[in-house]
Amino acid sequence: MGVQEFYRQFITEEILQELSKTRKRAYQSIDEFVVYRYREITNPYHISWVAEQLSTEELKLIDKLKSSKAKNGYYTIDLSDGEYPFLIDQYLVVPFNERKGAVHEQTLRSLIEELNKNDKDLKWLEELSPLKKTILMSYSEMRLEELLMGITITQLKEISKALSHSPASLQKAIYVNDLKRLLTDKEKIREILLSLSDEAFQVIRKHAENDYPFYNNIKEYQELISFGLIIVMENDYGISHPEVLKAIRSTNLKKVKSQRYKNNILRNKESQSSYNAYRVKISLVGGSDIIFREMIIPTRLNFYEMHLIIQIAFGWSKKFYAEFLNDNYVIRVYSEDTTGETKKKPVLLSSYTQVDAFLSELGTVSYIYNYKAKWHHKVELVEFI
């Protein structure tokens, strides 16, 4: 769904009248507003101004959406009162259905591109000479098959071997067509992402989320080169083709990261013939500073005991209600507590629920203390002991 179609879907006559009042601009029709918004979103100067106005909360939203998957060309987010005021005022987040909002994918990508200009790991391209920069940029404008055709048949064979693929013919054109299909196939890309080392996954994930195709110091990325996720270009530079980055994002990187974590936990579990303790990491989520505690806990522990451990480790006062959460269950610390957010999930009681049953299978669980302040902790299994 394009930007103009997106706004035509979500802007009503009632919203248009309200916009005419708040913006002191009389929009004659929805089409006029749609064209106006399209011109603003595609104007780099406007996007630069928007990026400078974003609050910390709004920057966190953009960072969160990076690893999410757009559906029908836009992202759907939950809205609470007072959240994301500037983005809503600019109608970059479009409210609908009371507690929901929509963000168009192109809007997000434009903001990410602008914010990347201040990322020291991604801005080296701006420091190149105009000629060299133009040459590198020309590679991203090639079609994927043109980029693949420019590398040697030996390199194509090595990539095919890494992808466990045998072409029907040894002709270069066949290799290129097959690799183009594989490198844009969502399931194949997901399989590759799950097999990568942690370091390689973090690199390709960052480039995909930021829609940033270029690399310098290319010798550091041999694993990604071997799978064809990076193609070597001029001298010490490389590129992940935009079509490949799009395919990587389509896998839903947030879910891929979660699955990689579970796979690592299972491998660690299988390597231990027997275990009676866990090493866990408990982090406070959402702050600008990283605050965490790492500890060893016994396997025969219930969630009420886990609650007491967290209270002591973080210096909390035990004065407020608390609960543990995952995608499927809510685990209440106190039986009389009926105020937490269940979202239609089955509710369990902490005293009768074993930590082992959740961490050994899922690897992580959330802990919320004080529903008003919403102190959100992430409990992660690091290893079996």
Side-chain angles (χ1 to χ4, degrees):
M1 179 188 294
V3 172
Q4 297 189 46
E5 186 183 354
F6 167 78
Y7 280 105
R8 286 192 183 95
Q9 175 173 322
F10 287 102
I11 300 298
T12 64
E13 289 292 344
E14 183 180 354
I15 292 174
L16 190 69
Q17 290 176 16
E18 184 63 29
L19 285 168
S20 296
K21 292 177 183 177
T22 57
R23 294 192 168 206
K24 298 179 181 180
R25 177 189 174 98
Y27 297 105
Q28 300 301 315
S29 66
I30 290 176
D31 280 346
E32 181 187 340
F33 174 77
V34 166
V35 171
Y36 182 77
R37 289 306 298 134
Y38 177 75
R39 286 174 179 169
E40 283 194 331
I41 289 171
T42 55
N43 183 335
Y45 296 104
H46 179 74
I47 291 296
S48 178
W49 172 77
V50 168
E52 291 175 357
Q53 314 305 314
L54 296 176
S55 66
T56 301
E57 184 182 41
E58 288 164 334
L59 289 169
K60 286 179 181 177
L61 172 66
I62 291 170
D63 196 52
K64 178 181 177 182
L65 291 179
K66 283 181 183 180
S67 57
S68 301
K69 181 182 178 183
K71 187 175 182 181
N72 298 325
Y74 64 89
Y75 302 87
T76 301
I77 63 173
D78 294 323
L79 290 179
S80 300
D81 292 340
E83 276 192 310
Y84 318 126
F86 178 73
L87 288 174
I88 290 174
D89 179 66
Q90 292 295 309
Y91 261 74
L92 299 174
V93 171
V94 183
F96 70 98
N97 289 354
E98 294 185 3
R99 295 290 182 178
K100 296 289 183 181
V103 182
H104 193 270
E105 187 172 21
Q106 183 176 335
T107 300
L108 180 73
R109 292 293 145 201
S110 296
L111 286 171
I112 290 171
E113 183 179 356
E114 181 63 31
L115 293 169
N116 283 345
K117 292 178 180 179
N118 295 319
D119 189 322
K120 67 181 189 319
D121 293 330
L122 301 178
K123 69 178 184 179
W124 57 268
L125 185 65
E126 303 300 323
E127 299 170 358
L128 295 179
S129 68
L131 177 60
K132 186 166 287 187
K133 181 179 177 181
T134 300
I135 292 172
L136 294 184
M137 292 296 292
S138 68
Y139 281 93
S140 66
E141 296 168 0
M142 290 182 176
R143 291 176 299 170
L144 178 55
E145 56 268 35
E146 291 176 331
L147 190 65
L148 291 169
M149 190 62 78
I151 64 179
T152 67
I153 187 69
T154 300
Q155 290 172 311
L156 293 172
K157 287 179 179 179
E158 290 174 351
I159 295 171
S160 293
K161 184 178 179 181
L163 297 178
S164 302
H165 175 70
S166 299
S169 166
L170 296 181
Q171 295 179 13
K172 189 173 186 179
I174 300 296
Y175 272 102
V176 167
N177 287 333
D178 285 359
L179 289 180
K180 178 190 175 182
R181 176 176 53 80
L182 292 170
L183 292 172
T184 54
D185 180 79
K186 174 181 164 183
E187 293 306 317
K188 187 63 180 179
I189 288 293
R190 186 175 186 277
E191 178 187 319
I192 296 170
L193 294 176
L194 290 174
S195 70
L196 292 175
S197 66
D198 288 341
E199 184 179 1
F201 176 72
Q202 292 303 327
V203 169
I204 199 66
R205 178 191 175 194
K206 181 173 184 177
H207 280 255
E209 288 178 345
N210 291 284
D211 203 13
Y212 193 86
F214 301 108
Y215 304 79
N216 61 349
N217 301 322
I218 196 65
K219 293 177 182 178
E220 299 176 8
Y221 308 116
Q222 290 304 316
E223 184 178 359
L224 295 171
I225 293 170
S226 69
F227 284 109
L229 298 180
I230 296 177
I231 303 298
V232 179
M233 303 186 302
E234 301 285 327
N235 300 322
D236 202 25
Y237 302 110
I239 180 173
S240 291
H241 194 274
E243 287 184 47
V244 175
L245 294 179
K246 184 178 180 180
I248 291 170
R249 289 194 298 274
S250 76
T251 64
N252 194 333
L253 285 163
K254 187 175 180 181
K255 288 187 176 180
V256 171
K257 181 184 176 183
S258 177
Q259 187 59 55
R260 284 176 55 85
Y261 176 74
K262 290 176 183 177
N263 291 349
N264 286 336
I265 290 297
L266 288 174
R267 282 195 292 270
N268 177 254
K269 185 177 181 180
E270 289 169 0
S271 68
Q272 299 284 345
S273 57
S274 63
Y275 58 93
N276 54 24
Y278 301 122
R279 184 186 305 278
V280 297
K281 179 180 179 181
I282 306 170
S283 310
L284 264 176
V285 178
S288 56
D289 296 323
I290 299 174
I291 300 174
F292 70 93
R293 305 286 187 268
E294 199 167 286
M295 62 192 72
I296 295 173
I297 61 171
T299 54
R300 291 184 176 85
L301 198 73
N302 64 45
F303 275 101
Y304 180 73
E305 293 167 323
M306 189 73 212
H307 157 73
L308 295 178
I309 290 172
I310 295 173
Q311 289 286 306
I312 294 169
F314 283 86
W316 296 130
S317 61
K318 307 175 191 172
K319 291 181 179 179
F320 301 99
Y321 285 136
E323 64 188 8
F324 293 88
L325 301 163
N326 68 8
D327 291 339
N328 302 315
Y329 293 96
V330 175
I331 304 168
R332 290 280 164 77
V333 171
Y334 300 104
S335 58
E336 70 273 16
D337 175 15
T338 59
T339 58
E341 182 64 53
T342 64
K343 294 184 179 179
K344 298 181 180 180
K345 296 177 183 178
V347 178
L348 305 174
L349 191 58
S350 63
S351 299
Y352 302 103
T353 309
Q354 296 297 305
V355 174
D356 178 70
F358 283 78
L359 283 187
S360 64
E361 294 300 324
L362 302 174
T364 183
V365 66
S366 293
Y367 172 75
I368 311 296
Y369 174 62
N370 187 343
Y371 301 149
K372 187 175 181 179
K374 290 186 177 178
W375 292 107
H376 180 194
H377 309 66
K378 185 177 182 181
V379 183
E380 298 176 277
L381 172 60
V382 177
E383 65 175 333
F384 295 87
I385 297 175

